[in-house]
Amino acid sequence: MKAALLQEIGRLDVADLPAPELPRGGVLVRIEAAAVCRSDIKMVRRGQKDLVLPRILGHEAAGTILASDHPDWRAGTPVALYPGRFCGRCPACRSGRQTRCPELRIFGFNEDGFFRSCVPFPEEALPSLVRRPGGLTARKAALAEPLACCISALGRFADLQRGTALVIGAGAVGSLFAALLLAQGWDRVLVADRNRRRLEQGLPPGVTALHAAADTILSVLQQLSIRLDLVVPACPDGLAWPLWEAMNPGGGVSFFSGMETDARAVIESNRIHYGELTLAGSYGCRLDDFTRALGLIASGKIDLECLKPEGIALDGIAAGMERLEAGVAKKLLITEF
């Protein structure tokens, strides 16, 4: 069995590994599509706080049960793979907040992930399997995880006035945020990026593209007489953009993307205080958000065509990551193992 194995930071090998055995009481899942995202690239280039090496990467995938030793799961069942293993017993799990489980293991981070042809799920990991809605292909289901992360982030702002939202970053996640905001009924959705080519690669219909950077975004918004009700950073260092002055009272700012450089988030306490702004962090996705994402994709309410996903072979993962970094590709799907 081939697998994309991160041996150490900077060394990603496509290695031949023994095929896994069927776990007692568990299942084997044949991976049919696994998506590559910028978190995978970050782990290869710089590491990540939850990464434990060596590690088979990959946390966005879908497939079919190949073999089963559990009565609730039959061979041939199409599934999507939730990216974490959780205990199901703690207060966080019982309230549906699996990302806060103290025993959480994340596939592709501190648990071997999905960049391989076959993945074993022992009985205790079976809650991470979600049946695919009828007719939903593995290629589309593999993109549910980033959409679920967007759903989790926006769920922190359910009470906001749905006026004007700004997404910073026109990559895959930025496009998903924009599509979700439109589906939720926001009046105006803006996507800003300093890279004009990324803005032209394809955004959901109905989105306004803004060619701007941190030092120009305020003047661009002022020229267009735009005030913001929500800001979502969908790129590294997006929180360093000085946007507090453009916020409407009662607005919100999502702390969705982390900071990858020496930049620091710009916090204007008085504007937050007097404007009664809501700030909320979000990391990963809850299981119910993952299930909801699958439903939105299956129903066609979220159109994934804006991602322009390109299929590649596992052997081409290194070259594919370079294409993502260069902005040539927006989203990659490993479909040949």
Side-chain angles (χ1 to χ4, degrees):
M1 175 187 73
K2 288 185 177 181
L5 180 64
L6 184 60
Q7 305 275 14
E8 58 189 33
I9 302 303
R11 181 186 169 192
L12 179 66
D13 296 330
V14 177
D16 286 314
L17 301 178
E21 297 181 355
L22 175 64
R24 183 174 181 179
V27 305
L28 289 176
V29 174
R30 182 179 69 249
I31 302 298
E32 296 170 348
V36 183
C37 82
R38 289 186 174 271
S39 294
D40 300 311
I41 297 174
K42 176 183 176 181
M43 285 188 280
V44 173
R45 304 292 188 246
R46 296 182 295 279
Q48 200 266 359
K49 73 178 189 67
D50 290 316
L51 177 64
V52 178
L53 297 173
R55 183 64 56 221
I56 298 173
L57 297 183
H59 59 280
E60 306 174 14
T64 298
I65 292 180
L66 182 64
S68 175
D69 188 41
H70 194 282
D72 293 341
W73 295 95
R74 294 182 178 180
T77 302
V79 292
L81 309 182
Y82 178 72
R85 286 182 58 170
F86 49 92
C87 75
R89 304 179 303 274
C90 69
C93 286
R94 292 200 304 271
S95 63
R97 296 177 173 87
Q98 293 84 8
T99 55
R100 302 178 192 175
C101 174
E103 298 181 25
L104 181 68
R105 305 279 298 174
I106 307 173
F107 292 106
F109 289 66
N110 50 21
E111 185 90 3
D112 278 336
F114 306 143
F115 290 168
R116 47 179 161 164
S117 58
C118 187
V119 178
F121 282 79
E123 187 171 12
E124 60 271 21
L126 292 179
S128 297
L129 299 183
V130 179
R131 288 176 172 82
R132 278 192 262 150
L136 183 61
T137 66
R139 290 175 66 101
K140 289 185 176 181
L143 300 171
E145 190 273 345
L147 177 60
C149 292
C150 299
I151 293 172
S152 290
L154 295 185
R156 309 296 298 277
F157 302 99
D159 296 331
L160 290 191
Q161 171 183 319
R162 296 187 177 184
T164 299
L166 172 67
V167 178
I168 303 173
V173 172
S175 295
L176 287 175
F177 264 119
L180 183 59
L181 287 161
L182 289 171
Q184 290 183 347
W186 283 73
D187 294 336
R188 191 174 191 183
V189 178
L190 318 170
V191 175
D193 201 297
R194 61 172 60 89
N195 187 326
R196 190 182 298 275
R197 183 174 66 179
R198 282 161 62 90
L199 291 168
E200 294 172 350
Q201 272 186 320
L203 292 172
V207 170
T208 300
L210 298 179
H211 182 225
D215 58 346
T216 60
I217 185 62
L218 277 180
S219 62
V220 170
L221 293 174
Q222 289 167 355
Q223 290 171 10
L224 298 173
S225 300
I226 293 174
R227 304 283 300 175
L228 303 173
D229 298 292
L230 176 66
V231 173
V232 180
C235 65
D237 303 338
L239 290 169
W241 289 39
L243 289 162
W244 304 100
E245 187 179 329
M247 296 295 300
N248 279 327
V253 178
S254 173
F255 279 56
F256 178 81
S257 294
M259 310 293 282
E260 291 190 358
T261 68
D262 293 334
R264 294 291 182 266
V266 178
I267 303 292
E268 295 193 15
S269 300
N270 277 345
R271 291 190 184 275
I272 297 168
H273 169 61
Y274 291 110
E276 295 188 337
L277 304 182
T278 297
L279 282 60
S282 184
Y283 180 53
C285 60
R286 303 187 306 182
L287 183 60
D288 62 345
D289 292 325
F290 184 76
T291 302
R292 189 174 297 118
L294 289 168
L296 287 172
I297 296 170
S299 68
K301 292 180 179 178
I302 297 294
D303 186 358
L304 300 176
E305 286 306 309
C306 62
L307 301 185
K308 302 184 183 300
E310 300 179 11
I312 64 169
L314 182 62
D315 285 335
I317 189 170
M321 286 183 171
E322 292 178 359
R323 287 171 56 79
L324 279 179
E325 282 186 299
V328 177
K330 195 163 189 174
K331 193 67 177 178
L332 298 178
L333 284 173
I334 301 170
T335 55
E336 297 178 35
F337 295 88

